């Protein structure tokens, strides 16, 4: 399920992003608690905390990392989870593909589908 447009816009304004958001997905601290939104652009991975009561209202920037930082791998045994920058996160299964695509774009470009209309 894609992240709703209003949430994308809220994150764009909160972070002051002028360029394109390549990937965006919600996550939460493993075991419950604080919510997070991962925002991936061409040059940064920004992790926004939303607090424990909201998954859509940015409160602060938890961290900002170079785009060359790997987000996954996502473990899918007892729920989807991953370790990033020392934090353990859980995410809904529908966002596992988003994490995998964000990592593949940087670390395994040959695994991505070819552009069917490269001249456009």
């Amino acid at each position: 399920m894609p992240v709703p447009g209003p949430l994308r816009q809220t994150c764009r304004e909160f972070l002051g992003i002028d360029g394109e958001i390549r990937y965006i997905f919600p996550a939460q601290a493993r075991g419950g608690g604080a919510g997070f939104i991962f925002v991936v652009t061409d040059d940064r991975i920004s992790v926004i905390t939303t607090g424990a009561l909201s998954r859509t209202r940015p409160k602060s920037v938890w961290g900002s990392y170079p785009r060359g930082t790997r987000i996954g791998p996502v473990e899918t045994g007892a729920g989807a989870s991953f370790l990033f920058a020392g934090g353990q996160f859980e995410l809904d299964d529908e966002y596992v593909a988003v994490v995998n695509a964000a990592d593949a774009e940087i670390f395994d470009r040959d695994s991505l589908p070819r552009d069917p209309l490269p001249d456009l």
Side-chain angles (χ1 to χ4, degrees), residues 114-120:
R114 295 190 191 277
D115 185 348
L117 303 168
D119 297 329
L120 291 182

Side-chain angles (χ1 to χ4, degrees), residues 109-118:
R109 291 196 64 79
D110 293 335
S111 71
L112 296 173
R114 295 190 191 277
D115 185 348
L117 303 168

Side-chain angles (χ1 to χ4, degrees), residues 44-56:
R44 309 278 327 143
I45 299 171
S46 298
V47 183
I48 302 169
T49 182
T50 61
L53 302 177
S54 173
R55 289 185 76 177
T56 60

Side-chain angles (χ1 to χ4, degrees), residues 12 19-21 40 44-45 58 64 67 80 98 105 113:
R12 177 182 301 287
E20 179 182 2
I21 293 176
V40 181
R44 309 278 327 143
I45 299 171
S64 184
R67 181 61 179 100
V98 177
E105 186 177 79

Side-chain angles (χ1 to χ4, degrees), residues 12-30:
R12 177 182 301 287
E13 291 169 1
F14 184 78
L15 294 171
I17 296 173
D18 292 331
E20 179 182 2
I21 293 176
R22 307 279 303 158
Y23 302 95
I24 184 170
F25 62 93
Q28 66 180 24
R30 187 164 188 169

